[in-house]
Amino acid sequence: KYIGLIDNKHEILEFKMNKKYIVCRDEYNLNIYKFDTLSFEYSIIYKNICNFDLSIHMNMVVYSNIEGYIQIYDIDKDNNKNFKAHNNKIQYVKLSNNGLYVASVSENGRKIKVYNSLSGSIVKEFIRGIYMSEIVNIEFDLTCVYLLVYSITGTVHIYDIMSKNTEMSINKISNYLLNYNVVNYEYS
């Protein structure tokens, strides 16, 4: 059954949706539409957006428009907040499935930070690899305990967001997922 269409002024480069909203990214804007009526709701103008993400449960859009800052727009409350996350450009942002965390990756692809999306306070900071890299994808697991980071080097780095013991958590993950013991976790 055909539902309808969204006629965006410019070519759509990326889009995401949840049960309530559709967010389309073109060259100039993030355009937000209501899913049930396909009507235009709001537009966020940006300069150099890296990527964006839409929370499935909390109706929030996260993006980076200002160098080093994460912006979170709460669609339902029409409220935009931002906080300093990195000292340089951000190449990737991702909201957790429950909308409580936002992960960001620095411009060089090495520094990964996880923040509480409501307070803007840092939860964890990780170093990915020893070389600069472009990040292709970031995913939180369904329980929001693990963070997976995939780069163009072909590696998937897995981090335990809740653990205080890095060596133990890396070995726990590698034993569980790969039946493999990591002996040098310093640059994981």
Side-chain angles (χ1 to χ4, degrees):
K1 174 181 163 185
Y2 178 75
I3 306 243
L5 67 90
I6 292 175
D7 189 15
N8 207 57
K9 291 180 184 178
H10 305 284
E11 177 187 0
I12 296 173
L13 303 173
E14 180 182 11
F15 65 88
K16 306 218 178 199
M17 62 181 268
N18 64 16
K19 291 180 180 181
K20 197 168 179 183
Y21 297 103
I22 299 170
V23 181
C24 300
R25 177 175 74 91
D26 63 31
E27 192 176 342
Y28 309 100
N29 302 298
L30 287 176
N31 295 312
I32 301 169
Y33 300 87
K34 285 189 175 181
F35 185 76
D36 58 351
T37 63
L38 301 180
S39 60
F40 176 78
E41 184 77 11
Y42 188 78
S43 187
I44 299 169
I45 300 169
Y46 64 84
K47 297 175 186 169
N48 300 311
I49 201 162
C50 54
N51 76 310
F52 76 96
D53 200 19
L54 173 66
S55 168
I56 295 170
H57 302 292
M58 297 181 74
N59 299 319
M60 296 186 309
V61 176
V62 64
Y63 60 100
S64 179
N65 198 11
I66 302 168
E67 186 169 311
Y69 281 82
I70 291 175
Q71 281 110 322
I72 300 174
Y73 178 65
D74 185 323
I75 302 169
D76 293 333
K77 296 178 182 174
D78 190 25
N79 181 24
N80 201 8
K81 66 179 174 182
N82 63 56
F83 56 89
K84 181 83 168 171
H86 295 271
N87 292 327
N88 52 21
K89 290 181 182 176
I90 295 170
Q91 72 164 281
Y92 206 101
V93 292
K94 178 72 176 179
L95 274 165
S96 63
N97 300 314
N98 60 11
L100 295 179
Y101 302 109
V102 59
S104 63
V105 180
S106 65
E107 180 177 43
N108 66 19
R110 290 197 61 232
K111 193 172 281 190
I112 301 157
K113 295 182 180 181
V114 178
Y115 290 90
N116 178 306
S117 65
L118 304 176
S119 68
S121 61
I122 192 159
V123 175
K124 270 297 195 194
E125 184 174 336
F126 304 105
I127 302 295
R128 185 222 51 83
I130 56 175
Y131 301 107
M132 293 173 49
S133 183
E134 181 182 333
I135 302 305
V136 177
N137 193 20
I138 298 177
E139 289 296 330
F140 287 88
D141 76 307
L142 291 176
T143 62
C144 300
V145 172
Y146 299 113
L147 180 71
L148 286 78
V149 179
Y150 176 63
S151 70
I152 61 169
T153 62
T155 57
V156 177
H157 294 261
I158 306 165
Y159 302 97
D160 186 336
I161 300 167
M162 302 303 162
S163 177
K164 298 197 185 319
N165 183 333
T166 307
E167 180 178 4
M168 186 175 74
S169 66
I170 289 176
N171 278 319
K172 182 174 81 176
I173 294 166
S174 62
N175 284 333
Y176 175 74
L177 294 175
L178 310 170
N179 196 21
Y180 177 77
N181 233 357
V182 176
V183 290
N184 184 359
Y185 58 89
E186 185 175 348
Y187 295 108
S188 289

